[in-house]
Amino acid sequence: MIKQFFALLLIATSMIPDTNEKIIARQGRVSFFSYTTVENIQADNNQVLSIIDMEDGSIAVSMLMNAFVFEKALMKGHFNESYVESDLYPKGVFEGKIIDFDPNQQGEQIKMIEGIFTMHGVPNELSIKTKIENNNGKYVLTGTFETLVADYDIKIPALLSENISDRIEVNFRFEFQPYEN
Amino acid sequence: MKLTSDLNSSLMRTKNIFTVCLLLLGVVLNSNSQDLLEILDNEQKSEIGYVPATFKMTRIAFGHSTETRSKGVLEVFAANRFWNTPEPRSQSFAADKLSTRIALEYGISDRLSMGIGGTTFDGLFDGYLKYSLFNQQGGDDPFPFNITLFQGGSYNSSGIPNPAINDDFNDRLSFTSQILISRRVSSNFSVQVAPTYVHKSLGLTTEDPNNFFAMGFGARYKLGLHVAVVSEYYATFNPIESFNTYGPFALGVNWELSDVQLQFMLTNAVNMVEDTFITQTRNNFNFKNPNLNFGFNATYVIHFNNALRNTKKRTDSK
């Protein structure tokens, strides 16, 4: 009887964490840069959402493409209408997993995130190095990676190939807090 | 013995339950990442419904579109019309006649734009204010149209040949009021209608009306990410009586790239200011000289407002 009770307890405890152990970032920052000799282009999005399941380290990120702010108003218009086509593909979405994530480790840890980023309707596998800071349960994820414009089926007109880099640098910073349903 | 077999069987049972547990856990974990995205979707739901620019440029062909410029954006605008005189053996280079309107157009705020310009051929100096009242959007608070109010005025600086007309400054003024209503029907196709009222202080003869009512129609079809075909037409309900007028019509291609916007069009409208081309287009649209005009508009966009710097300031001061 004791063992059956133990088994029941095991079932019960294995079901519980799923509902509680999630952390969310509601004002994550994603910036991207295109450096060329002619022109530097930068865009910031300060309303990126991200959520992590502490149980298994799975992570999801969702951003509205039209929330990117550019130096020039016209750039934002071009970006949304002629490059990422925000009316057809309003969101950029990442789904993945932090490999060997240890939620209990205090201080810094460097981990890899592997997953699929979908933008402009094109899914792409990404492997991103991230620094995770854990300050008494306040998690901050930061990192930088590079990606190719061509990977997302985004075409740069030949006339502008000098102005827009085909390699885009992406920076991110997410500050997480416990997620309550 | 019995005790150990009991223990064994209960151990087996625990193992079974444990495997079921693991399976369950696996199912839960598998569906997890889907759950994560669903949670994010719920967090974000209220903000979706963004509709990109309906026309991108502030003009469809010769007439204004519902677009206004963002705050701190200056457009240097040069519009040209080229046409030939009916003389069969004219020896002009490229084209017999040329008219150019040079204008500066500026975004005072994200909703309010203004512009001033001057035209060489008809000697009109004009200015306008344009206010974007509503923008088309989807989402929780949808609105199906863009609505922009336009008020333009012009001063006719050219000599009036009839010495009997005693004109003063006020008589040389004309005013155009428009309600521009447009809709981005699909990602490629946009349409606009423009109820228009024109007041010309000085009629050409006493029998001509001073007030005109017209309706404008415009459309854009995107051929590619940077190129669109456009067409525009204005119908005047009470046209001038002293000579025949026709509705101005244009068929054109708009091309935008980076800071430059180019418009190419074929049109029968020589004039470039609203009050004149709507009410006083003397030729119908056909391929005979001097009816056919080739139009070429070039706009260079200068930004005085760094949106990125502003957001930085805003977030820093928080």
Side-chain angles (χ1 to χ4, degrees):
Chain A
M1 280 306 279
I2 292 167
K3 296 210 167 72
Q4 271 145 349
F5 176 73
F6 179 69
L8 269 173
L9 199 74
L10 199 73
I11 297 174
T13 48
S14 74
M15 300 301 270
I16 290 169
D18 179 50
T19 49
N20 278 333
E21 300 286 312
K22 288 195 182 83
I23 51 174
I24 191 164
R26 289 191 175 84
Q27 289 187 313
R29 269 191 191 195
V30 172
S31 312
F32 67 80
F33 304 87
S34 144
Y35 299 113
T36 63
T37 48
V38 181
E39 192 175 16
N40 291 335
I41 299 167
Q42 183 189 347
D44 289 352
N45 186 342
N46 294 333
Q47 295 150 43
V48 182
L49 294 170
S50 177
I51 191 162
I52 298 176
D53 191 322
M54 307 291 272
E55 194 65 23
D56 62 346
S58 61
I59 179 169
V61 179
S62 174
M63 64 190 89
L64 289 176
M65 301 314 286
N66 74 303
F68 277 97
V69 179
F70 289 74
E71 181 190 334
K72 298 176 179 178
L74 199 66
M75 279 181 181
K76 185 178 174 177
H78 287 321
F79 174 74
N80 285 302
E81 177 153 347
S82 303
Y83 293 92
V84 297
E85 301 179 83
S86 300
D87 54 331
L88 302 175
Y89 315 102
K91 280 183 184 175
V93 167
F94 178 83
E95 273 180 280
K97 203 158 195 173
I98 309 171
I99 307 298
D100 302 326
F101 177 45
D102 179 7
N104 300 318
Q105 189 184 323
Q106 287 288 320
E108 281 182 24
Q109 48 182 319
I110 308 276
K111 296 288 174 205
M112 293 301 290
I113 303 176
E114 280 174 5
I116 292 171
F117 182 51
T118 308
M119 184 179 74
H120 195 228
V122 184
N124 227 317
E125 241 175 79
L126 283 182
S127 188
I128 305 159
K129 197 158 90 177
T130 180
K131 188 174 84 179
I132 304 170
E133 285 169 74
N134 177 6
N135 192 358
N136 294 321
K138 281 186 179 169
Y139 296 86
V140 178
L141 261 71
T142 50
T144 300
F145 65 96
E146 282 197 344
T147 189
L148 297 175
V149 177
D151 285 348
Y152 300 93
D153 198 21
I154 293 169
K155 293 180 187 76
I156 300 171
L159 269 171
L160 292 180
S161 60
E162 300 280 303
N163 298 58
I164 304 171
S165 172
D166 50 3
R167 188 174 285 275
I168 301 293
E169 184 191 309
V170 182
N171 292 336
F172 61 89
R173 180 186 167 85
F174 294 99
E175 289 176 28
F176 289 89
Q177 57 197 91
Y179 175 72
E180 277 133 33
N181 286 328
Chain B
M1 284 305 279
K2 197 183 172 229
L3 193 77
T4 45
S5 74
D6 250 14
L7 196 71
N8 265 344
S9 68
S10 72
L11 252 178
M12 283 291 284
R13 210 178 303 144
T14 319
K15 255 188 198 162
N16 282 342
I17 293 169
F18 188 67
T19 36
V20 169
C21 261
L22 271 179
L23 274 173
L24 267 174
L25 196 70
V27 170
V28 169
L29 286 185
N30 265 341
S31 60
N32 237 353
S33 93
Q34 188 58 45
D35 290 346
L36 291 184
L37 272 182
E38 266 170 30
I39 292 170
L40 294 188
D41 276 351
N42 292 336
E43 292 275 331
Q44 211 156 46
K45 213 170 244 170
S46 61
E47 287 181 56
I48 299 184
Y50 165 76
V51 177
T54 307
F55 286 104
K56 206 100 186 246
M57 298 187 195
T58 56
R59 281 169 182 76
I60 300 175
F62 42 62
H64 275 273
S65 73
T66 47
E67 302 297 329
T68 56
R69 284 285 83 107
S70 300
K71 186 183 177 185
V73 173
L74 178 71
E75 286 193 341
V76 182
F77 183 82
N80 305 285
R81 300 288 182 273
F82 304 90
W83 69 100
N84 291 327
T85 54
E87 279 103 71
R89 287 179 167 272
S90 80
Q91 300 295 340
S92 313
F93 181 74
D96 289 339
K97 297 276 185 181
L98 162 69
S99 177
T100 300
R101 174 176 179 270
I102 295 183
L104 292 175
E105 312 196 334
Y106 184 70
I108 298 166
S109 76
D110 285 349
R111 288 182 176 274
L112 182 66
S113 291
M114 60 155 289
I116 47 166
T119 312
T120 56
F121 178 69
D122 51 18
L124 290 181
F125 289 92
D126 66 288
Y128 71 80
L129 284 171
K130 210 169 152 184
Y131 186 76
S132 166
L133 206 57
F134 296 105
N135 285 315
Q136 183 182 345
Q137 59 184 51
D140 291 343
D141 188 19
F143 194 78
F145 304 109
N146 302 292
I147 300 180
T148 296
L149 304 178
F150 173 88
Q151 179 59 54
S154 77
Y155 172 75
N156 184 352
S157 70
S158 59
I160 290 170
N162 187 349
I165 294 175
N166 180 21
D167 67 290
D168 58 14
F169 181 82
N170 289 340
D171 287 339
R172 288 170 170 269
L173 298 179
S174 301
F175 300 96
T176 309
S177 308
Q178 290 186 299
I179 301 169
L180 305 163
I181 304 163
S182 75
R183 176 168 169 78
R184 190 185 169 105
V185 181
S186 74
S187 63
N188 288 333
F189 187 59
S190 304
V191 289
Q192 176 177 294
V193 290
T196 303
Y197 165 72
V198 175
H199 176 80
K200 290 185 90 71
S201 303
L202 189 63
L204 290 161
T205 60
T206 45
E207 62 189 291
D208 289 328
N210 290 99
N211 300 310
F212 300 89
F213 296 93
M215 183 66 97
F217 304 91
R220 174 190 81 157
Y221 186 79
K222 268 174 84 177
L223 292 180
L225 291 172
H226 303 269
V227 184
V229 181
V230 291
S231 185
E232 209 173 4
Y233 177 74
Y234 274 89
T236 306
F237 300 121
N238 55 335
I240 287 176
E241 315 223 331
S242 54
F243 58 85
N244 283 338
T245 60
Y246 300 88
F249 174 81
L251 190 63
V253 173
N254 288 0
W255 188 62
E256 38 87 10
L257 209 60
S258 186
D259 295 332
V260 179
Q261 301 170 347
L262 302 179
Q263 296 178 279
F264 306 88
M265 73 193 87
L266 295 174
T267 176
N268 57 331
V270 178
N271 306 93
M272 283 174 274
V273 180
E274 293 71 26
D275 56 67
T276 315
F277 72 69
I278 290 171
T279 61
Q280 292 184 9
T281 295
R282 285 166 178 256
N283 303 313
N284 207 343
F285 183 79
N286 62 37
F287 282 76
K288 292 179 194 125
N289 294 328
N291 298 10
L292 188 73
N293 288 254
F294 174 71
F296 170 63
N297 297 354
T299 310
Y300 187 75
V301 185
I302 301 166
H303 290 74
F304 288 113
N305 188 33
N306 183 339
L308 213 52
R309 199 183 299 143
N310 290 353
T311 56
K312 281 227 177 81
K313 263 184 211 156
R314 238 176 281 146
T315 47
D316 287 349
S317 63
K318 259 179 195 171

